[in-house]
Amino acid sequence: MKPSNTPIATRRVIELDSYWPYQLTVLADRISRHTAGIVKQYGQLNLSQWRVMAAIAEQPGRTAAEVVTITPMDKGIVSRATKALLVAGLVRREASTGDGRVSHLFLTGTGERLYQALMPRVEAVSREIHTALSDDEQRRFSALLGRLVSTMSDPSGG
């Protein structure tokens, strides 16, 4: 790549240390890597499989399309993770009574036990981060994040 010919004095750059979207990306990546390490070590799962399990645990009977909508994963990743969870006996699929083309996902007993065993370890990642904030700051931070997420449009149209 060719270096810019723009003189340094007039050239604008994003200062990553003070650019909050970058800092948020770094934080999200660190959280994901910590979580991935936990679910791999204690559950032999990858992060995508954990996210699918968490989405199903939160609302049993979700469809794969609903999992795609609420997680930062595309349908191919969700499909592969779901298939692996089905093969491992951690998730079961039930055809919809209203539309046979749609199926609903549920944790099996084994899947529920694994989820319950992993959940406190995954929650500890969040608690570790929150120790840097007071209770009031935690509440405000959560509210602000929710506002920012709802304000920012999804570039995929989802």
Side-chain angles (χ1 to χ4, degrees):
M1 181 173 261
K2 251 175 115 174
S4 170
N5 291 332
T6 305
I8 297 295
T10 59
R11 187 170 160 260
R12 294 184 59 231
V13 298
I14 294 173
E15 294 179 17
L16 297 179
D17 286 344
S18 60
Y19 185 63
W20 73 262
Y22 175 77
Q23 292 173 322
L24 192 58
T25 300
V26 170
L27 178 61
D29 181 66
R30 288 182 184 173
I31 292 167
S32 291
R33 284 188 282 131
H34 277 278
T35 303
I38 290 166
V39 299
K40 179 69 172 170
Q41 180 178 357
Y42 297 101
Q44 290 73 50
L45 300 173
N46 65 34
L47 190 56
S48 300
Q49 293 163 348
W50 167 253
R51 287 177 176 164
V52 170
M53 283 186 72
I56 297 167
E58 180 187 44
Q59 187 177 323
R62 276 194 165 129
T63 65
E66 290 169 335
V67 172
V68 168
T69 300
I70 65 154
T71 63
M73 299 184 293
D74 68 39
K75 65 182 178 179
I77 292 170
V78 169
S79 177
R80 286 187 296 277
T82 301
K83 183 177 180 179
L85 294 169
L86 287 162
V87 169
L90 300 172
V91 167
R92 66 182 168 80
R93 187 186 310 249
E94 286 184 17
S96 171
T97 55
D99 183 348
R101 297 169 297 174
V102 175
S103 60
H104 299 276
L105 302 169
F106 299 88
L107 297 180
T108 62
T110 302
E112 181 66 30
R113 285 187 294 281
L114 179 60
Y115 178 80
Q116 292 300 323
L118 290 172
M119 187 179 55
R121 295 176 189 277
V122 171
E123 285 179 323
V125 174
S126 176
R127 281 194 306 278
E128 178 185 343
I129 294 165
H130 275 120
T131 61
L133 304 173
S134 70
D135 288 347
D136 184 55
E137 288 171 327
Q138 288 176 38
R139 281 189 293 280
R140 289 192 347 244
F141 182 66
S142 285
L144 290 170
L145 274 179
R147 235 168 71 202
L148 291 171
V149 168
S150 68
T151 300
M152 187 74 201
S153 64
D154 184 344
S156 68

